[in-house]
Structure formats: structure tokens, C-alpha cells
Amino acid sequence: MQDVYDISAMDAVLAETPFAGKLHYFPTIHSTNPYALEQAQAGAPTYSVYFADEQTAGRGRGGHSWHSSVGDGLYVSVLLRPQLTLTDALWISLATGLAVREAIRSVTGMAADIRWPNDVLLNRRKCCGILAETSASNSADASAPLRHVVVGIGINVNHKSFPPEIDALATSLRMESGRTWQRQQLLVALLRALHREVELLEAEIAGTREGAGLLERFTQASTWVSGKRVRVEEAGGYTGVTDGLDARGFLQVRTDSGIRTVLSGGVRELE
Ligand code: BTN
């Protein structure tokens, strides 16, 4: 099966969403995230979507690279301008993790887990990473309004294997299900789910909706939020048991010396 993107067909099925007419496809690109950030700076419309068959310099979190072999994965960056401050930018990452989980569920039927803040896992291995990059009017002030946020999403779809350095940690939808999946179908499902999450988040922030909020829904979707024995790879490294999210969405870990707040991720399960 040749897994190619049909932009007109995608525009048609996304007609009910703000992404229609804003899809930008690249056979190859260095990385969709810096490209999207440049476009955002140059005034590209909110909900612009940049995606590629291949990235030659895919970016991961914490200065890592993102394995972006040609035709195997979904490599996509979405430009958002939510009514949030820099402090609340974490909420976008959490909401995107929920959207990816829903897209995987709706297309493949598989139930993924989310490792805080936003690694999506199948059978304890990572099948998706999310890199949210922000620009605020004053980046020194956490209460400054966000100008824009670029949400970069990499989903391992049809990979048959991975380079040795990530082989033990990574998986793909194909490796977990034994069959290939259409990236286009997954991208459409992802954009629909992301639109829904952004709408829910904006309504929650505006105080115009009832029902479970983002942090509650994230807590329900992730086995990592409570009761997991973990090692945290920050502040010199420490171990403890996860103990919920604080009001801003940061993970709490109960250690021998009290509750600590995880700020940037790097949470790993202790056997
Ligand atoms: C992580 O390290 O977990 C985050 C990985 C994010 C990868 C995606 S792929 C699309 C976008 N472009 C990039 O270069 N990175 C993000």
C-alpha cells in the first residue's frame, strides 16, 4: 500500500474544523517545528498545520533528536494561539497528549497510556512524542500572554524497527498491532481530536463549561499520575511515588523528604 497524503481529500473531511485550507505538506524538511515557528512569527494564520514525510533534523524534547525516517511516521506541527499565559503553556502539552491518545484509539482501537507530561506509550514503549514550543510577549514574565505555541507531534506509525539507541524504548502502531496504518487517517483523527481539546481548554479557562476539567481527564487517561514508582531525571535525579498533579498541571512525587514538583519531565518507571 502506498501511504501518500491527499490534501484535497483532507481539506474536505476537515471542513468542520479550523484546519481546512491550512494544511502544508513537505516531502522532506529539516524539522516542521522551527519552520512553523518562523511562519508564526511572519503572521501565518492560527491552526496552520505543517507536516512532512521525512525530517532530516527532527527535534525532540531536552535537546534530543527525533527519529523521522521517510514515510514511516507522522511528523506534524500545529500553530495555535490560545488565550493562555506562559505559565499555562503546560496545559497545551497535556491536552495534546489526550488528543493523540484519542486519535490512536479511534483509528486503531488501541488504548495508549500517557507518561507525564506528554509521551504516549503502548505496552510501556513510546509511540509518540510531543514538543510544544512557545513565544510570549515577555518571556521573562510567566504571566505574560502567549503570542503563539507550536505543537510538534511525532507518531511512530509504520516503523518496522528503530535504531539501536532507541530500540528498547520505542515502538510503532505497526509493531504493536501487526498491521500498517494510513498516516492520513491518523492525521485527520488527530486534528479533529486536537480541535476538540483546544475548544474544551479555552472554555475551561473562560469558565464557560462544566464537566471534568483537563487535569481530571488527564489523570483518568494516564497510569503515571498516581501511585507509580518513578525516578525523576531532574534536579540531580531523585526517586519517589507519583502523587497527582498540582493546580497548574505539574506532577507531584512523594519522596522520603516530602512532596516534590516535577518541572520538566524525564520521569521513568522504577521496576
Ligand atoms: C519528544 O522528544 O518526545 C518530542 C518529539 C517531537 C517530535 C515532533 S515530529 C514533528 C515536530 N518536528 C520536530 O522536529 N519535532 C516535532
Side-chain angles (χ1 to χ4, degrees):
M1 177 189 68
Q2 237 212 335
D3 186 23
V4 292
Y5 292 107
D6 177 342
I7 307 289
S8 315
M10 290 174 71
D11 272 334
V13 293
L14 288 168
E16 305 299 310
T17 77
F19 300 112
K22 297 183 195 143
L23 305 176
H24 304 272
Y25 161 75
F26 302 85
T28 184
I29 192 169
H30 51 302
S31 161
T32 53
N33 258 35
Y35 184 84
L37 285 164
E38 277 165 33
Q39 297 303 304
Q41 208 63 48
T46 307
Y47 295 111
S48 293
V49 179
Y50 306 91
F51 61 107
D53 269 333
E54 176 192 35
Q55 297 186 116
T56 53
R59 279 188 193 179
R61 298 177 70 231
H64 294 285
S65 59
W66 184 256
H67 177 67
S68 307
S69 49
V70 58
D72 287 331
L74 197 56
Y75 315 119
V76 56
S77 296
V78 181
L79 168 57
L80 301 172
R81 292 192 176 89
Q83 303 287 308
L84 292 176
T85 64
L86 201 51
T87 332
D88 301 326
L90 172 61
W91 287 42
I92 286 288
S93 288
L94 303 179
T96 305
L98 286 175
V100 170
R101 182 176 186 271
E102 170 54 21
I104 291 174
R105 189 208 59 75
S106 69
V107 172
T108 71
M110 292 190 285
D113 200 358
I114 314 176
R115 179 171 59 203
W116 186 93
N118 53 19
D119 288 338
V120 183
L121 311 179
L122 285 168
N123 281 329
R124 296 168 148 195
R125 291 184 181 212
K126 182 161 163 175
C127 66
C128 168
I130 295 165
L131 176 65
E133 298 191 79
T134 53
S135 162
S137 47
N138 176 1
S139 55
D141 175 5
S143 64
L146 276 184
R147 263 202 297 251
H148 54 252
V149 49
V150 165
V151 187
I153 304 159
I155 305 184
N156 302 331
V157 184
N158 290 323
H159 301 65
K160 285 190 273 191
S161 62
F162 290 94
E165 60 278 14
I166 55 170
D167 186 45
L169 307 172
T171 192
S172 70
L173 305 188
R174 176 182 190 164
M175 289 160 77
E176 294 304 321
S177 63
R179 55 157 287 189
T180 57
W181 299 95
Q182 247 200 325
R183 290 171 304 158
Q184 171 165 326
Q185 198 189 351
L186 197 63
L187 179 53
V188 166
L190 173 62
L191 293 174
R192 285 196 174 128
L194 188 60
H195 179 221
R196 177 170 176 273
E197 284 300 335
V198 170
E199 281 193 329
L200 287 176
L201 185 53
E202 289 187 332
E204 185 173 342
I205 286 159
T208 56
R209 74 175 286 269
E210 290 173 5
L214 172 69
L215 300 186
E216 192 180 333
R217 290 186 302 115
F218 188 91
T219 300
Q220 280 162 9
S222 166
T223 68
W224 288 73
V225 171
S226 285
K228 180 130 4 229
R229 279 174 34 80
V230 293
R231 172 167 177 79
V232 180
E233 309 290 352
E234 66 177 34
Y238 58 91
T239 59
V241 177
T242 60
D243 197 27
L245 303 176
D246 73 8
R248 294 176 306 161
F250 288 98
L251 185 64
Q252 307 289 287
V253 173
R254 184 183 304 279
T255 72
D256 287 344
S257 52
I259 293 281
R260 296 185 68 161
T261 299
V262 187
L263 296 177
S264 65
V267 179
R268 296 291 173 269
E269 186 167 15
L270 280 178
E271 296 304 326

